[in-house]
Amino acid sequence: GSDRISVQEELDRISSIVEKIKAKFDVCLSVDTYKPEVVEEVLKLGADIINDITGLTYSEDIAKLASEYDAGLCLMHMREDPKTMQLNTKYDNIISEIKNFLNVSINKATRSGMQKDSIIIDPGIGFGKDLNGNSAILNNLSKFIDLGCPILIGTSRKSFIGQINGKEANDRLSGTIASNVIALINGARIFRVHDVKENKDALLVANEIVRSGEMIEA
């Protein structure tokens, strides 16, 4: 239900933050925006990845800019826009529709000069999806692997977790971890979270079990 803000307001909010983070920390910095003017400015300031929630449907110039600055690009699936995306969460085949959308987005990006190994895909948990849709995505993440890009998942504290366990947003850590472990098992490799330490600890354990486990017939 959120409203769009102007390019200038977005720049006013984020530019100084990007500068300060890049000056103080030696980290890979991702900026969430779909406006080319903002993309160009934050890349000049040192941003390393652009996260486009529209999957290049708002502007393909984002991919051109990311390519020019040798930055990474995350392409997400979203139906409509944040103002209206939850008004229609029904799909004939949610996995097929998201996969086709992301495939088109990847092709747009590579045509604009992006190297495929610099592209991340995100099926967009909670962006135009209901509880059943989000669950279907998490259970079927492996079907996105053949798109050839690392899969990012962002379930942290989202409302579908509260629908399941009845917890408020600031009390959804355990539900977030559970959803991320399922996502890991099914193919996700990048996780957007609020509670970094706790999720990292859980995913390290889950990843080691999956990696080193041996299937033994009874």
Side-chain angles (χ1 to χ4, degrees), residues 2 5 15 27 40-41 54-55 71 75 89 116-117 119 123 140 154 164 174 194 198 202:
S2 61
I5 60 173
S15 297
V27 294
E40 186 164 21
E41 181 63 22
T54 77
L75 302 171
T89 58
K116 195 169 182 181
D117 61 5
I119 299 172
N140 291 277
I164 295 171
S174 57
H194 298 86
E198 293 84 353

Short mmCIF file of all heavy atoms in Angstrom, two decimals, residues 2 5 15 27 40-41 54-55 71 75 89 116-117 119 123 140 154 164 174 194 198 202:
data_model
loop_
_atom_site.label_atom_id
_atom_site.label_comp_id
_atom_site.label_asym_id
_atom_site.label_seq_id
_atom_site.Cartn_x
_atom_site.Cartn_y
_atom_site.Cartn_z
N SER A 2 2.13 1.14 -0.17
CA SER A 2 2.98 2.33 -0.09
C SER A 2 2.91 3.17 -1.35
O SER A 2 2.67 2.66 -2.45
CB SER A 2 4.44 1.92 0.16
OG SER A 2 4.92 1.13 -0.90
N ILE A 5 7.71 7.70 -4.18
CA ILE A 5 8.29 8.99 -3.85
C ILE A 5 9.05 9.51 -5.06
O ILE A 5 9.36 8.75 -5.99
CB ILE A 5 9.22 8.91 -2.62
CG1 ILE A 5 10.39 7.94 -2.88
CG2 ILE A 5 8.44 8.49 -1.38
CD1 ILE A 5 11.43 7.93 -1.78
N SER A 15 21.52 9.05 -0.51
CA SER A 15 22.87 9.37 -1.00
C SER A 15 23.90 9.46 0.12
O SER A 15 24.97 8.85 0.06
CB SER A 15 22.86 10.67 -1.80
OG SER A 15 22.06 10.55 -2.94
N VAL A 27 32.53 -3.37 2.67
CA VAL A 27 31.45 -4.32 2.43
C VAL A 27 30.88 -4.15 1.03
O VAL A 27 31.05 -3.12 0.39
CB VAL A 27 30.28 -4.14 3.45
CG1 VAL A 27 30.74 -4.50 4.86
CG2 VAL A 27 29.73 -2.73 3.39
N GLU A 40 22.20 5.72 -11.12
CA GLU A 40 23.46 6.33 -11.57
C GLU A 40 24.17 7.04 -10.42
O GLU A 40 25.39 6.92 -10.27
CB GLU A 40 23.18 7.32 -12.70
CG GLU A 40 24.44 7.89 -13.31
CD GLU A 40 24.20 8.56 -14.64
OE1 GLU A 40 23.04 8.95 -14.92
OE2 GLU A 40 25.16 8.69 -15.41
N GLU A 41 23.43 7.74 -9.59
CA GLU A 41 24.05 8.47 -8.48
C GLU A 41 24.68 7.53 -7.47
O GLU A 41 25.82 7.73 -7.03
CB GLU A 41 23.01 9.36 -7.80
CG GLU A 41 23.56 10.19 -6.64
CD GLU A 41 24.63 11.18 -7.06
OE1 GLU A 41 24.68 11.56 -8.25
OE2 GLU A 41 25.43 11.59 -6.18
N THR A 54 11.30 -4.17 -9.72
CA THR A 54 10.43 -4.26 -10.89
C THR A 54 10.96 -5.22 -11.95
O THR A 54 10.30 -5.42 -12.97
CB THR A 54 10.22 -2.88 -11.55
OG1 THR A 54 11.38 -2.52 -12.31
CG2 THR A 54 9.91 -1.81 -10.51
N GLY A 55 12.14 -5.77 -11.74
CA GLY A 55 12.70 -6.68 -12.73
C GLY A 55 12.88 -6.06 -14.10
O GLY A 55 12.68 -6.71 -15.13
N ALA A 71 28.64 -3.33 -11.94
CA ALA A 71 27.92 -3.65 -10.70
C ALA A 71 27.07 -4.90 -10.89
O ALA A 71 26.77 -5.31 -12.02
CB ALA A 71 27.03 -2.48 -10.29
N LEU A 75 17.30 -8.98 -9.92
CA LEU A 75 16.03 -8.82 -10.63
C LEU A 75 14.94 -9.56 -9.86
O LEU A 75 15.02 -10.77 -9.67
CB LEU A 75 16.15 -9.39 -12.04
CG LEU A 75 17.24 -8.76 -12.91
CD1 LEU A 75 17.42 -9.55 -14.20
CD2 LEU A 75 16.92 -7.30 -13.21
N THR A 89 -3.70 -11.53 -5.88
CA THR A 89 -2.63 -12.48 -5.59
C THR A 89 -2.93 -13.87 -6.14
O THR A 89 -2.33 -14.86 -5.71
CB THR A 89 -2.39 -12.57 -4.07
OG1 THR A 89 -3.61 -12.96 -3.43
CG2 THR A 89 -1.93 -11.22 -3.51
N LYS A 116 25.85 -12.46 -17.42
CA LYS A 116 24.88 -13.26 -16.68
C LYS A 116 25.39 -13.62 -15.29
O LYS A 116 24.60 -13.75 -14.35
CB LYS A 116 24.53 -14.52 -17.46
CG LYS A 116 23.28 -15.21 -16.91
CD LYS A 116 22.79 -16.30 -17.82
CE LYS A 116 21.51 -16.93 -17.26
NZ LYS A 116 20.99 -18.01 -18.12
N ASP A 117 26.72 -13.76 -15.13
CA ASP A 117 27.25 -14.11 -13.82
C ASP A 117 27.24 -12.94 -12.84
O ASP A 117 27.67 -13.08 -11.70
CB ASP A 117 28.64 -14.72 -13.92
CG ASP A 117 29.67 -13.79 -14.54
OD1 ASP A 117 29.34 -12.61 -14.81
OD2 ASP A 117 30.82 -14.22 -14.76
N ILE A 119 24.22 -11.37 -12.41
CA ILE A 119 22.78 -11.23 -12.19
C ILE A 119 22.31 -12.19 -11.10
O ILE A 119 22.70 -13.36 -11.08
CB ILE A 119 22.00 -11.50 -13.50
CG1 ILE A 119 22.41 -10.49 -14.58
CG2 ILE A 119 20.49 -11.43 -13.25
CD1 ILE A 119 21.83 -10.80 -15.96
N PRO A 123 12.41 -14.30 -6.55
CA PRO A 123 11.00 -14.53 -6.92
C PRO A 123 10.02 -13.61 -6.22
O PRO A 123 8.83 -13.62 -6.54
CB PRO A 123 10.76 -15.99 -6.52
CG PRO A 123 11.77 -16.27 -5.46
CD PRO A 123 12.97 -15.45 -5.81
N ASN A 140 9.18 -24.72 -4.25
CA ASN A 140 9.53 -24.99 -5.65
C ASN A 140 10.71 -24.16 -6.14
O ASN A 140 10.89 -24.00 -7.36
CB ASN A 140 8.32 -24.74 -6.55
CG ASN A 140 7.22 -25.76 -6.35
OD1 ASN A 140 7.24 -26.84 -6.91
ND2 ASN A 140 6.24 -25.41 -5.51
N GLY A 154 13.87 -13.39 0.29
CA GLY A 154 13.67 -12.41 1.35
C GLY A 154 12.38 -12.68 2.09
O GLY A 154 11.31 -12.17 1.72
N ILE A 164 0.98 -17.59 9.80
CA ILE A 164 1.15 -18.98 10.20
C ILE A 164 1.25 -19.12 11.72
O ILE A 164 0.58 -19.96 12.33
CB ILE A 164 2.40 -19.59 9.54
CG1 ILE A 164 2.21 -19.63 8.02
CG2 ILE A 164 2.69 -21.00 10.09
CD1 ILE A 164 3.47 -20.00 7.25
N SER A 174 12.09 -16.91 14.63
CA SER A 174 12.07 -18.36 14.46
C SER A 174 11.39 -18.75 13.16
O SER A 174 11.84 -19.65 12.44
CB SER A 174 11.38 -19.04 15.65
OG SER A 174 10.07 -18.54 15.83
N HIS A 194 16.82 -9.38 8.58
CA HIS A 194 17.04 -8.35 9.58
C HIS A 194 18.04 -8.83 10.63
O HIS A 194 18.97 -8.12 10.99
CB HIS A 194 15.72 -7.99 10.29
CG HIS A 194 14.67 -7.42 9.39
ND1 HIS A 194 13.80 -8.20 8.66
CD2 HIS A 194 14.35 -6.13 9.11
CE1 HIS A 194 12.99 -7.43 7.96
NE2 HIS A 194 13.29 -6.17 8.21
N GLU A 198 21.71 -14.42 13.89
CA GLU A 198 20.92 -15.61 14.17
C GLU A 198 20.64 -16.42 12.90
O GLU A 198 20.72 -17.66 12.89
CB GLU A 198 19.61 -15.22 14.85
CG GLU A 198 19.77 -14.63 16.24
CD GLU A 198 20.07 -13.14 16.26
OE1 GLU A 198 20.29 -12.57 15.16
OE2 GLU A 198 20.09 -12.55 17.34
N ALA A 202 22.09 -20.28 11.96
CA ALA A 202 21.18 -21.37 11.58
C ALA A 202 21.50 -21.89 10.19
O ALA A 202 21.51 -23.11 9.95
CB ALA A 202 19.74 -20.87 11.65
#
